[in-house]
Amino acid sequence: MVCIWIGNRRYEGVSNWLVATSIILAFAFIIAEELWYLKLDGYSNNAWLNIMFPNILLCFGVCQISHGFHRFLQIKQSLFWLYACQLLIIGPLYAYGLSVETPILFSIIVLTLSVTISLCFNCYYLFSDQGKQYGRTRYICILACVLAMSLNVTRILLLYREPDLMCTIEFSTALACINLLMSQCFLTFCYLMFCTQRNAFSLQHMSFIDPLANIYNRRGYQHAIAALAPHKEAAVMILDIDNFKRVNDEYGHATGDLVIKNIAMIIAKECGSTCIYARTGGEEFSIYSPLTSAKAAESIAESVRLRIMKHAVKKQNLSINVTVSIGISIGKSVNIFALEEEADKALYQAKRDGRNCTVMQLFVA
């Protein structure tokens, strides 16, 4: 778990998992030490196992598992109910256990109830919208949590049906150690899977997103189009900044980068979720709109062009206005490359027509 934390501590929630692991393993070590090393007097009546304070600490560690999933998955809901349920349900039971001579079975039941509450919150977090991207990994994690709870339930049933076992300190303590260690092995495996998949998402994001414009690059653009459901009609719009070299020469490349950022934000705002857009070149952007009529495609292109023309890029005391030329290709071809080629021809026609305009070219495969 320490190795997982060292390699993935940049992700929120991993530190909570490390705290939970430390508490659980420390608890298991204390149990083993009481049994095999110290041989304290009086433990034959399970007095040390009936103390509620160590179990309260263990419940806090169990809560840290759910807390970690809450932060790792970036759940928007408050953590109030996670800790409120533990305090309102488990708190009174532990208070009762501190006031009377509590048998070991009562302590185990209360701890199992605490684990069940955390498991319910784990399921809620993993099946939320933020957890859907992890696919089968979350089902494996749920299975691991259920196995951990099953070990507790099995221990309760065994001690309940065989009361004499509670007087056998070696057996009951061995059950507790095995339960804690196996549960932690299951959970650590799940932590590793989640962090590995999160790293894969980060690498995919780096390979698909343009770092300057913060929208798709060409690879991400093509991948997003390929992931769409099959469709017949589509429109491709290619946008090029007019005289962009002059902007770099007069104001510097930092200002040119700022212009690209501003145009990317305008495209994202005007296109919304209906289109796929990307920065496919130095000063070139592409917009793909599936199932779009010629009139709708032209409307989107003109909206983007006019918004860019009216937008002033400001840097310090400078206010820079740029224009764009847009070429549109629309047709029934499912070959994106053919549509891009026709849109590129329309873009060059827009450049020949004096720039700052939109040219549409209908294309039939």
PDB file of all heavy atoms in Angstrom, residues 42-77:
ATOM      1  N   GLY A  42      -4.850 -12.604  32.131  1.00  0.00           N
ATOM      2  CA  GLY A  42      -6.252 -12.215  32.104  1.00  0.00           C
ATOM      3  C   GLY A  42      -6.884 -12.233  30.738  1.00  0.00           C
ATOM      4  O   GLY A  42      -8.070 -11.972  30.607  1.00  0.00           O
ATOM      5  N   TYR A  43      -6.114 -12.529  29.688  1.00  0.00           N
ATOM      6  CA  TYR A  43      -6.766 -12.520  28.383  1.00  0.00           C
ATOM      7  C   TYR A  43      -7.516 -13.802  28.094  1.00  0.00           C
ATOM      8  O   TYR A  43      -8.178 -13.935  27.084  1.00  0.00           O
ATOM      9  CB  TYR A  43      -5.796 -12.172  27.274  1.00  0.00           C
ATOM     10  CG  TYR A  43      -4.775 -13.237  26.857  1.00  0.00           C
ATOM     11  CD1 TYR A  43      -4.868 -14.560  27.234  1.00  0.00           C
ATOM     12  CD2 TYR A  43      -3.714 -12.876  26.048  1.00  0.00           C
ATOM     13  CE1 TYR A  43      -3.949 -15.490  26.843  1.00  0.00           C
ATOM     14  CE2 TYR A  43      -2.776 -13.807  25.649  1.00  0.00           C
ATOM     15  CZ  TYR A  43      -2.890 -15.113  26.044  1.00  0.00           C
ATOM     16  OH  TYR A  43      -1.962 -16.030  25.637  1.00  0.00           O
ATOM     17  N   SER A  44      -7.409 -14.756  28.984  1.00  0.00           N
ATOM     18  CA  SER A  44      -8.151 -15.989  28.768  1.00  0.00           C
ATOM     19  C   SER A  44      -9.661 -15.757  28.848  1.00  0.00           C
ATOM     20  O   SER A  44     -10.436 -16.508  28.295  1.00  0.00           O
ATOM     21  CB  SER A  44      -7.739 -17.047  29.797  1.00  0.00           C
ATOM     22  OG  SER A  44      -7.972 -16.565  31.114  1.00  0.00           O
ATOM     23  N   ASN A  45     -10.056 -14.676  29.522  1.00  0.00           N
ATOM     24  CA  ASN A  45     -11.484 -14.351  29.559  1.00  0.00           C
ATOM     25  C   ASN A  45     -11.856 -13.320  28.507  1.00  0.00           C
ATOM     26  O   ASN A  45     -12.936 -12.740  28.567  1.00  0.00           O
ATOM     27  CB  ASN A  45     -11.874 -13.841  30.948  1.00  0.00           C
ATOM     28  CG  ASN A  45     -11.089 -12.583  31.314  1.00  0.00           C
ATOM     29  OD1 ASN A  45     -10.280 -12.109  30.535  1.00  0.00           O
ATOM     30  ND2 ASN A  45     -11.330 -12.076  32.517  1.00  0.00           N
ATOM     31  N   ASN A  46     -10.941 -13.088  27.561  1.00  0.00           N
ATOM     32  CA  ASN A  46     -11.184 -12.176  26.444  1.00  0.00           C
ATOM     33  C   ASN A  46     -11.405 -10.733  26.897  1.00  0.00           C
ATOM     34  O   ASN A  46     -12.060  -9.945  26.221  1.00  0.00           O
ATOM     35  CB  ASN A  46     -12.397 -12.616  25.599  1.00  0.00           C
ATOM     36  CG  ASN A  46     -12.164 -13.972  24.969  1.00  0.00           C
ATOM     37  OD1 ASN A  46     -11.063 -14.265  24.518  1.00  0.00           O
ATOM     38  ND2 ASN A  46     -13.189 -14.804  24.950  1.00  0.00           N
ATOM     39  N   ALA A  47     -10.895 -10.361  28.039  1.00  0.00           N
ATOM     40  CA  ALA A  47     -11.111  -8.999  28.540  1.00  0.00           C
ATOM     41  C   ALA A  47     -10.537  -7.963  27.596  1.00  0.00           C
ATOM     42  O   ALA A  47     -11.146  -6.919  27.345  1.00  0.00           O
ATOM     43  CB  ALA A  47     -10.494  -8.855  29.939  1.00  0.00           C
ATOM     44  N   TRP A  48      -9.361  -8.248  27.033  1.00  0.00           N
ATOM     45  CA  TRP A  48      -8.737  -7.248  26.153  1.00  0.00           C
ATOM     46  C   TRP A  48      -9.481  -7.130  24.834  1.00  0.00           C
ATOM     47  O   TRP A  48      -9.460  -6.093  24.187  1.00  0.00           O
ATOM     48  CB  TRP A  48      -7.272  -7.596  25.912  1.00  0.00           C
ATOM     49  CG  TRP A  48      -7.063  -8.896  25.192  1.00  0.00           C
ATOM     50  CD1 TRP A  48      -7.020 -10.132  25.729  1.00  0.00           C
ATOM     51  CD2 TRP A  48      -6.871  -9.064  23.791  1.00  0.00           C
ATOM     52  NE1 TRP A  48      -6.826 -11.073  24.769  1.00  0.00           N
ATOM     53  CE2 TRP A  48      -6.716 -10.447  23.555  1.00  0.00           C
ATOM     54  CE3 TRP A  48      -6.815  -8.196  22.702  1.00  0.00           C
ATOM     55  CZ2 TRP A  48      -6.515 -10.970  22.300  1.00  0.00           C
ATOM     56  CZ3 TRP A  48      -6.607  -8.724  21.454  1.00  0.00           C
ATOM     57  CH2 TRP A  48      -6.460 -10.097  21.253  1.00  0.00           C
ATOM     58  N   LEU A  49     -10.156  -8.233  24.413  1.00  0.00           N
ATOM     59  CA  LEU A  49     -10.927  -8.158  23.182  1.00  0.00           C
ATOM     60  C   LEU A  49     -12.247  -7.415  23.376  1.00  0.00           C
ATOM     61  O   LEU A  49     -12.850  -6.957  22.419  1.00  0.00           O
ATOM     62  CB  LEU A  49     -11.211  -9.569  22.664  1.00  0.00           C
ATOM     63  CG  LEU A  49     -10.069 -10.252  21.901  1.00  0.00           C
ATOM     64  CD1 LEU A  49     -10.485 -11.660  21.549  1.00  0.00           C
ATOM     65  CD2 LEU A  49      -9.697  -9.478  20.664  1.00  0.00           C
ATOM     66  N   ASN A  50     -12.724  -7.305  24.585  1.00  0.00           N
ATOM     67  CA  ASN A  50     -14.000  -6.657  24.848  1.00  0.00           C
ATOM     68  C   ASN A  50     -13.870  -5.146  24.974  1.00  0.00           C
ATOM     69  O   ASN A  50     -14.874  -4.452  25.120  1.00  0.00           O
ATOM     70  CB  ASN A  50     -14.624  -7.208  26.127  1.00  0.00           C
ATOM     71  CG  ASN A  50     -14.990  -8.681  25.976  1.00  0.00           C
ATOM     72  OD1 ASN A  50     -15.214  -9.133  24.876  1.00  0.00           O
ATOM     73  ND2 ASN A  50     -15.031  -9.396  27.079  1.00  0.00           N
ATOM     74  N   ILE A  51     -12.652  -4.641  24.991  1.00  0.00           N
ATOM     75  CA  ILE A  51     -12.457  -3.197  25.112  1.00  0.00           C
ATOM     76  C   ILE A  51     -12.942  -2.540  23.828  1.00  0.00           C
ATOM     77  O   ILE A  51     -12.554  -2.927  22.724  1.00  0.00           O
ATOM     78  CB  ILE A  51     -10.980  -2.863  25.362  1.00  0.00           C
ATOM     79  CG1 ILE A  51     -10.529  -3.494  26.684  1.00  0.00           C
ATOM     80  CG2 ILE A  51     -10.754  -1.358  25.406  1.00  0.00           C
ATOM     81  CD1 ILE A  51      -9.065  -3.322  26.971  1.00  0.00           C
ATOM     82  N   MET A  52     -13.752  -1.511  23.947  1.00  0.00           N
ATOM     83  CA  MET A  52     -14.370  -0.898  22.783  1.00  0.00           C
ATOM     84  C   MET A  52     -13.486   0.136  22.086  1.00  0.00           C
ATOM     85  O   MET A  52     -13.660   0.403  20.913  1.00  0.00           O
ATOM     86  CB  MET A  52     -15.691  -0.235  23.179  1.00  0.00           C
ATOM     87  CG  MET A  52     -16.811  -1.222  23.389  1.00  0.00           C
ATOM     88  SD  MET A  52     -17.201  -2.092  21.870  1.00  0.00           S
ATOM     89  CE  MET A  52     -18.477  -3.202  22.409  1.00  0.00           C
ATOM     90  N   PHE A  53     -12.553   0.718  22.805  1.00  0.00           N
ATOM     91  CA  PHE A  53     -11.769   1.802  22.203  1.00  0.00           C
ATOM     92  C   PHE A  53     -10.986   1.362  20.952  1.00  0.00           C
ATOM     93  O   PHE A  53     -10.977   2.077  19.955  1.00  0.00           O
ATOM     94  CB  PHE A  53     -10.825   2.412  23.247  1.00  0.00           C
ATOM     95  CG  PHE A  53     -11.529   3.249  24.261  1.00  0.00           C
ATOM     96  CD1 PHE A  53     -11.557   2.877  25.590  1.00  0.00           C
ATOM     97  CD2 PHE A  53     -12.194   4.413  23.886  1.00  0.00           C
ATOM     98  CE1 PHE A  53     -12.217   3.650  26.527  1.00  0.00           C
ATOM     99  CE2 PHE A  53     -12.862   5.184  24.818  1.00  0.00           C
ATOM    100  CZ  PHE A  53     -12.877   4.799  26.143  1.00  0.00           C
ATOM    101  N   PRO A  54     -10.310   0.197  20.963  1.00  0.00           N
ATOM    102  CA  PRO A  54      -9.631  -0.238  19.721  1.00  0.00           C
ATOM    103  C   PRO A  54     -10.607  -0.429  18.568  1.00  0.00           C
ATOM    104  O   PRO A  54     -10.292  -0.133  17.411  1.00  0.00           O
ATOM    105  CB  PRO A  54      -8.960  -1.547  20.128  1.00  0.00           C
ATOM    106  CG  PRO A  54      -8.830  -1.463  21.600  1.00  0.00           C
ATOM    107  CD  PRO A  54     -10.022  -0.710  22.076  1.00  0.00           C
ATOM    108  N   ASN A  55     -11.812  -0.928  18.864  1.00  0.00           N
ATOM    109  CA  ASN A  55     -12.792  -1.120  17.808  1.00  0.00           C
ATOM    110  C   ASN A  55     -13.306   0.199  17.248  1.00  0.00           C
ATOM    111  O   ASN A  55     -13.651   0.308  16.069  1.00  0.00           O
ATOM    112  CB  ASN A  55     -13.969  -1.950  18.326  1.00  0.00           C
ATOM    113  CG  ASN A  55     -13.605  -3.427  18.449  1.00  0.00           C
ATOM    114  OD1 ASN A  55     -12.698  -3.907  17.772  1.00  0.00           O
ATOM    115  ND2 ASN A  55     -14.296  -4.135  19.320  1.00  0.00           N
ATOM    116  N   ILE A  56     -13.398   1.222  18.097  1.00  0.00           N
ATOM    117  CA  ILE A  56     -13.788   2.543  17.615  1.00  0.00           C
ATOM    118  C   ILE A  56     -12.745   3.058  16.624  1.00  0.00           C
ATOM    119  O   ILE A  56     -13.067   3.625  15.577  1.00  0.00           O
ATOM    120  CB  ILE A  56     -13.958   3.518  18.796  1.00  0.00           C
ATOM    121  CG1 ILE A  56     -15.153   3.104  19.640  1.00  0.00           C
ATOM    122  CG2 ILE A  56     -14.140   4.949  18.296  1.00  0.00           C
ATOM    123  CD1 ILE A  56     -15.337   3.925  20.893  1.00  0.00           C
ATOM    124  N   LEU A  57     -11.465   2.844  16.953  1.00  0.00           N
ATOM    125  CA  LEU A  57     -10.397   3.238  16.036  1.00  0.00           C
ATOM    126  C   LEU A  57     -10.498   2.467  14.724  1.00  0.00           C
ATOM    127  O   LEU A  57     -10.302   3.024  13.641  1.00  0.00           O
ATOM    128  CB  LEU A  57      -9.036   2.990  16.690  1.00  0.00           C
ATOM    129  CG  LEU A  57      -7.797   3.376  15.865  1.00  0.00           C
ATOM    130  CD1 LEU A  57      -7.782   4.879  15.596  1.00  0.00           C
ATOM    131  CD2 LEU A  57      -6.520   2.954  16.568  1.00  0.00           C
ATOM    132  N   LEU A  58     -10.835   1.187  14.807  1.00  0.00           N
ATOM    133  CA  LEU A  58     -10.975   0.373  13.599  1.00  0.00           C
ATOM    134  C   LEU A  58     -12.145   0.859  12.749  1.00  0.00           C
ATOM    135  O   LEU A  58     -12.067   0.870  11.514  1.00  0.00           O
ATOM    136  CB  LEU A  58     -11.157  -1.092  13.975  1.00  0.00           C
ATOM    137  CG  LEU A  58     -11.109  -2.100  12.819  1.00  0.00           C
ATOM    138  CD1 LEU A  58      -9.787  -2.010  12.077  1.00  0.00           C
ATOM    139  CD2 LEU A  58     -11.335  -3.507  13.332  1.00  0.00           C
ATOM    140  N   CYS A  59     -13.231   1.277  13.385  1.00  0.00           N
ATOM    141  CA  CYS A  59     -14.370   1.831  12.647  1.00  0.00           C
ATOM    142  C   CYS A  59     -13.978   3.104  11.920  1.00  0.00           C
ATOM    143  O   CYS A  59     -14.426   3.368  10.792  1.00  0.00           O
ATOM    144  CB  CYS A  59     -15.530   2.107  13.587  1.00  0.00           C
ATOM    145  SG  CYS A  59     -16.402   0.628  14.112  1.00  0.00           S
ATOM    146  N   PHE A  60     -13.132   3.918  12.556  1.00  0.00           N
ATOM    147  CA  PHE A  60     -12.636   5.126  11.886  1.00  0.00           C
ATOM    148  C   PHE A  60     -11.824   4.753  10.650  1.00  0.00           C
ATOM    149  O   PHE A  60     -11.925   5.389   9.598  1.00  0.00           O
ATOM    150  CB  PHE A  60     -11.785   5.941  12.856  1.00  0.00           C
ATOM    151  CG  PHE A  60     -11.117   7.132  12.218  1.00  0.00           C
ATOM    152  CD1 PHE A  60     -11.842   8.272  11.913  1.00  0.00           C
ATOM    153  CD2 PHE A  60      -9.762   7.107  11.913  1.00  0.00           C
ATOM    154  CE1 PHE A  60     -11.231   9.364  11.313  1.00  0.00           C
ATOM    155  CE2 PHE A  60      -9.149   8.190  11.319  1.00  0.00           C
ATOM    156  CZ  PHE A  60      -9.895   9.322  11.024  1.00  0.00           C
ATOM    157  N   GLY A  61     -11.020   3.691  10.760  1.00  0.00           N
ATOM    158  CA  GLY A  61     -10.254   3.229   9.606  1.00  0.00           C
ATOM    159  C   GLY A  61     -11.147   2.738   8.490  1.00  0.00           C
ATOM    160  O   GLY A  61     -10.892   2.991   7.305  1.00  0.00           O
ATOM    161  N   VAL A  62     -12.233   2.054   8.845  1.00  0.00           N
ATOM    162  CA  VAL A  62     -13.190   1.588   7.837  1.00  0.00           C
ATOM    163  C   VAL A  62     -13.843   2.774   7.130  1.00  0.00           C
ATOM    164  O   VAL A  62     -14.059   2.762   5.911  1.00  0.00           O
ATOM    165  CB  VAL A  62     -14.247   0.683   8.498  1.00  0.00           C
ATOM    166  CG1 VAL A  62     -15.377   0.387   7.519  1.00  0.00           C
ATOM    167  CG2 VAL A  62     -13.610  -0.611   8.965  1.00  0.00           C
ATOM    168  N   CYS A  63     -14.151   3.835   7.894  1.00  0.00           N
ATOM    169  CA  CYS A  63     -14.721   5.047   7.289  1.00  0.00           C
ATOM    170  C   CYS A  63     -13.756   5.689   6.303  1.00  0.00           C
ATOM    171  O   CYS A  63     -14.176   6.284   5.303  1.00  0.00           O
ATOM    172  CB  CYS A  63     -15.084   6.052   8.378  1.00  0.00           C
ATOM    173  SG  CYS A  63     -16.605   5.684   9.249  1.00  0.00           S
ATOM    174  N   GLN A  64     -12.460   5.581   6.588  1.00  0.00           N
ATOM    175  CA  GLN A  64     -11.473   6.182   5.694  1.00  0.00           C
ATOM    176  C   GLN A  64     -11.474   5.524   4.312  1.00  0.00           C
ATOM    177  O   GLN A  64     -11.097   6.153   3.323  1.00  0.00           O
ATOM    178  CB  GLN A  64     -10.076   6.096   6.316  1.00  0.00           C
ATOM    179  CG  GLN A  64      -9.871   7.006   7.509  1.00  0.00           C
ATOM    180  CD  GLN A  64     -10.080   8.458   7.156  1.00  0.00           C
ATOM    181  OE1 GLN A  64      -9.421   9.002   6.277  1.00  0.00           O
ATOM    182  NE2 GLN A  64     -11.031   9.087   7.821  1.00  0.00           N
ATOM    183  N   ILE A  65     -11.882   4.262   4.240  1.00  0.00           N
ATOM    184  CA  ILE A  65     -11.977   3.595   2.935  1.00  0.00           C
ATOM    185  C   ILE A  65     -13.031   4.291   2.079  1.00  0.00           C
ATOM    186  O   ILE A  65     -12.781   4.648   0.920  1.00  0.00           O
ATOM    187  CB  ILE A  65     -12.319   2.104   3.123  1.00  0.00           C
ATOM    188  CG1 ILE A  65     -11.195   1.395   3.877  1.00  0.00           C
ATOM    189  CG2 ILE A  65     -12.543   1.439   1.766  1.00  0.00           C
ATOM    190  CD1 ILE A  65     -11.513  -0.040   4.248  1.00  0.00           C
ATOM    191  N   SER A  66     -14.222   4.496   2.649  1.00  0.00           N
ATOM    192  CA  SER A  66     -15.283   5.190   1.911  1.00  0.00           C
ATOM    193  C   SER A  66     -14.904   6.642   1.644  1.00  0.00           C
ATOM    194  O   SER A  66     -15.200   7.176   0.566  1.00  0.00           O
ATOM    195  CB  SER A  66     -16.588   5.133   2.710  1.00  0.00           C
ATOM    196  OG  SER A  66     -16.989   3.802   2.936  1.00  0.00           O
ATOM    197  N   HIS A  67     -14.260   7.271   2.621  1.00  0.00           N
ATOM    198  CA  HIS A  67     -13.801   8.654   2.438  1.00  0.00           C
ATOM    199  C   HIS A  67     -12.840   8.738   1.252  1.00  0.00           C
ATOM    200  O   HIS A  67     -12.882   9.681   0.450  1.00  0.00           O
ATOM    201  CB  HIS A  67     -13.114   9.134   3.718  1.00  0.00           C
ATOM    202  CG  HIS A  67     -12.903  10.598   3.770  1.00  0.00           C
ATOM    203  ND1 HIS A  67     -12.968  11.331   4.932  1.00  0.00           N
ATOM    204  CD2 HIS A  67     -12.597  11.510   2.805  1.00  0.00           C
ATOM    205  CE1 HIS A  67     -12.738  12.605   4.678  1.00  0.00           C
ATOM    206  NE2 HIS A  67     -12.497  12.728   3.390  1.00  0.00           N
ATOM    207  N   GLY A  68     -11.963   7.729   1.133  1.00  0.00           N
ATOM    208  CA  GLY A  68     -11.024   7.706   0.015  1.00  0.00           C
ATOM    209  C   GLY A  68     -11.715   7.579  -1.325  1.00  0.00           C
ATOM    210  O   GLY A  68     -11.360   8.264  -2.286  1.00  0.00           O
ATOM    211  N   PHE A  69     -12.724   6.720  -1.414  1.00  0.00           N
ATOM    212  CA  PHE A  69     -13.474   6.588  -2.671  1.00  0.00           C
ATOM    213  C   PHE A  69     -14.218   7.878  -2.997  1.00  0.00           C
ATOM    214  O   PHE A  69     -14.328   8.262  -4.165  1.00  0.00           O
ATOM    215  CB  PHE A  69     -14.459   5.416  -2.577  1.00  0.00           C
ATOM    216  CG  PHE A  69     -13.844   4.078  -2.829  1.00  0.00           C
ATOM    217  CD1 PHE A  69     -13.767   3.128  -1.828  1.00  0.00           C
ATOM    218  CD2 PHE A  69     -13.318   3.765  -4.071  1.00  0.00           C
ATOM    219  CE1 PHE A  69     -13.189   1.895  -2.050  1.00  0.00           C
ATOM    220  CE2 PHE A  69     -12.737   2.527  -4.315  1.00  0.00           C
ATOM    221  CZ  PHE A  69     -12.669   1.590  -3.295  1.00  0.00           C
ATOM    222  N   HIS A  70     -14.736   8.543  -1.974  1.00  0.00           N
ATOM    223  CA  HIS A  70     -15.436   9.814  -2.176  1.00  0.00           C
ATOM    224  C   HIS A  70     -14.508  10.838  -2.818  1.00  0.00           C
ATOM    225  O   HIS A  70     -14.882  11.531  -3.773  1.00  0.00           O
ATOM    226  CB  HIS A  70     -15.952  10.328  -0.824  1.00  0.00           C
ATOM    227  CG  HIS A  70     -16.721  11.603  -0.909  1.00  0.00           C
ATOM    228  ND1 HIS A  70     -16.100  12.842  -1.000  1.00  0.00           N
ATOM    229  CD2 HIS A  70     -18.058  11.849  -0.926  1.00  0.00           C
ATOM    230  CE1 HIS A  70     -17.027  13.780  -1.062  1.00  0.00           C
ATOM    231  NE2 HIS A  70     -18.206  13.223  -1.024  1.00  0.00           N
ATOM    232  N   ARG A  71     -13.289  10.943  -2.334  1.00  0.00           N
ATOM    233  CA  ARG A  71     -12.340  11.916  -2.871  1.00  0.00           C
ATOM    234  C   ARG A  71     -11.753  11.453  -4.202  1.00  0.00           C
ATOM    235  O   ARG A  71     -11.554  12.265  -5.116  1.00  0.00           O
ATOM    236  CB  ARG A  71     -11.212  12.156  -1.865  1.00  0.00           C
ATOM    237  CG  ARG A  71     -11.672  12.767  -0.549  1.00  0.00           C
ATOM    238  CD  ARG A  71     -10.501  13.060   0.354  1.00  0.00           C
ATOM    239  NE  ARG A  71      -9.588  14.019  -0.261  1.00  0.00           N
ATOM    240  CZ  ARG A  71      -8.336  14.222   0.157  1.00  0.00           C
ATOM    241  NH1 ARG A  71      -7.844  13.520   1.160  1.00  0.00           N
ATOM    242  NH2 ARG A  71      -7.575  15.110  -0.454  1.00  0.00           N
ATOM    243  N   PHE A  72     -11.456  10.157  -4.321  1.00  0.00           N
ATOM    244  CA  PHE A  72     -10.835   9.644  -5.537  1.00  0.00           C
ATOM    245  C   PHE A  72     -11.767   9.800  -6.732  1.00  0.00           C
ATOM    246  O   PHE A  72     -11.340  10.161  -7.832  1.00  0.00           O
ATOM    247  CB  PHE A  72     -10.470   8.173  -5.346  1.00  0.00           C
ATOM    248  CG  PHE A  72      -9.685   7.574  -6.481  1.00  0.00           C
ATOM    249  CD1 PHE A  72      -8.313   7.729  -6.534  1.00  0.00           C
ATOM    250  CD2 PHE A  72     -10.310   6.869  -7.490  1.00  0.00           C
ATOM    251  CE1 PHE A  72      -7.577   7.175  -7.580  1.00  0.00           C
ATOM    252  CE2 PHE A  72      -9.589   6.324  -8.542  1.00  0.00           C
ATOM    253  CZ  PHE A  72      -8.220   6.477  -8.583  1.00  0.00           C
ATOM    254  N   LEU A  73     -13.059   9.515  -6.518  1.00  0.00           N
ATOM    255  CA  LEU A  73     -14.046   9.611  -7.598  1.00  0.00           C
ATOM    256  C   LEU A  73     -14.603  11.022  -7.752  1.00  0.00           C
ATOM    257  O   LEU A  73     -15.421  11.262  -8.642  1.00  0.00           O
ATOM    258  CB  LEU A  73     -15.195   8.632  -7.344  1.00  0.00           C
ATOM    259  CG  LEU A  73     -14.810   7.153  -7.318  1.00  0.00           C
ATOM    260  CD1 LEU A  73     -16.005   6.306  -6.929  1.00  0.00           C
ATOM    261  CD2 LEU A  73     -14.249   6.698  -8.658  1.00  0.00           C
ATOM    262  N   GLN A  74     -14.185  11.928  -6.864  1.00  0.00           N
ATOM    263  CA  GLN A  74     -14.620  13.330  -6.911  1.00  0.00           C
ATOM    264  C   GLN A  74     -16.143  13.436  -6.843  1.00  0.00           C
ATOM    265  O   GLN A  74     -16.790  14.092  -7.656  1.00  0.00           O
ATOM    266  CB  GLN A  74     -14.081  14.020  -8.171  1.00  0.00           C
ATOM    267  CG  GLN A  74     -12.554  14.039  -8.224  1.00  0.00           C
ATOM    268  CD  GLN A  74     -11.995  14.652  -9.496  1.00  0.00           C
ATOM    269  OE1 GLN A  74     -12.705  14.834 -10.483  1.00  0.00           O
ATOM    270  NE2 GLN A  74     -10.718  14.990  -9.476  1.00  0.00           N
ATOM    271  N   ILE A  75     -16.710  12.771  -5.839  1.00  0.00           N
ATOM    272  CA  ILE A  75     -18.145  12.821  -5.593  1.00  0.00           C
ATOM    273  C   ILE A  75     -18.503  14.207  -5.049  1.00  0.00           C
ATOM    274  O   ILE A  75     -17.830  14.740  -4.175  1.00  0.00           O
ATOM    275  CB  ILE A  75     -18.575  11.740  -4.583  1.00  0.00           C
ATOM    276  CG1 ILE A  75     -18.108  10.354  -5.079  1.00  0.00           C
ATOM    277  CG2 ILE A  75     -20.075  11.760  -4.375  1.00  0.00           C
ATOM    278  CD1 ILE A  75     -18.741   9.896  -6.354  1.00  0.00           C
ATOM    279  N   LYS A  76     -19.575  14.775  -5.573  1.00  0.00           N
ATOM    280  CA  LYS A  76     -19.950  16.121  -5.182  1.00  0.00           C
ATOM    281  C   LYS A  76     -20.709  16.169  -3.859  1.00  0.00           C
ATOM    282  O   LYS A  76     -20.707  17.183  -3.179  1.00  0.00           O
ATOM    283  CB  LYS A  76     -20.800  16.765  -6.291  1.00  0.00           C
ATOM    284  CG  LYS A  76     -20.048  16.951  -7.603  1.00  0.00           C
ATOM    285  CD  LYS A  76     -20.936  17.574  -8.668  1.00  0.00           C
ATOM    286  CE  LYS A  76     -20.168  17.747  -9.981  1.00  0.00           C
ATOM    287  NZ  LYS A  76     -21.013  18.340 -11.041  1.00  0.00           N
ATOM    288  N   GLN A  77     -21.408  15.092  -3.500  1.00  0.00           N
ATOM    289  CA  GLN A  77     -22.184  15.096  -2.273  1.00  0.00           C
ATOM    290  C   GLN A  77     -21.282  15.223  -1.049  1.00  0.00           C
ATOM    291  O   GLN A  77     -20.116  14.839  -1.071  1.00  0.00           O
ATOM    292  CB  GLN A  77     -23.031  13.820  -2.158  1.00  0.00           C
ATOM    293  CG  GLN A  77     -24.195  13.751  -3.116  1.00  0.00           C
ATOM    294  CD  GLN A  77     -23.795  13.271  -4.501  1.00  0.00           C
ATOM    295  OE1 GLN A  77     -22.631  13.031  -4.745  1.00  0.00           O
ATOM    296  NE2 GLN A  77     -24.764  13.116  -5.383  1.00  0.00           N
TER     297      GLN A  77
END
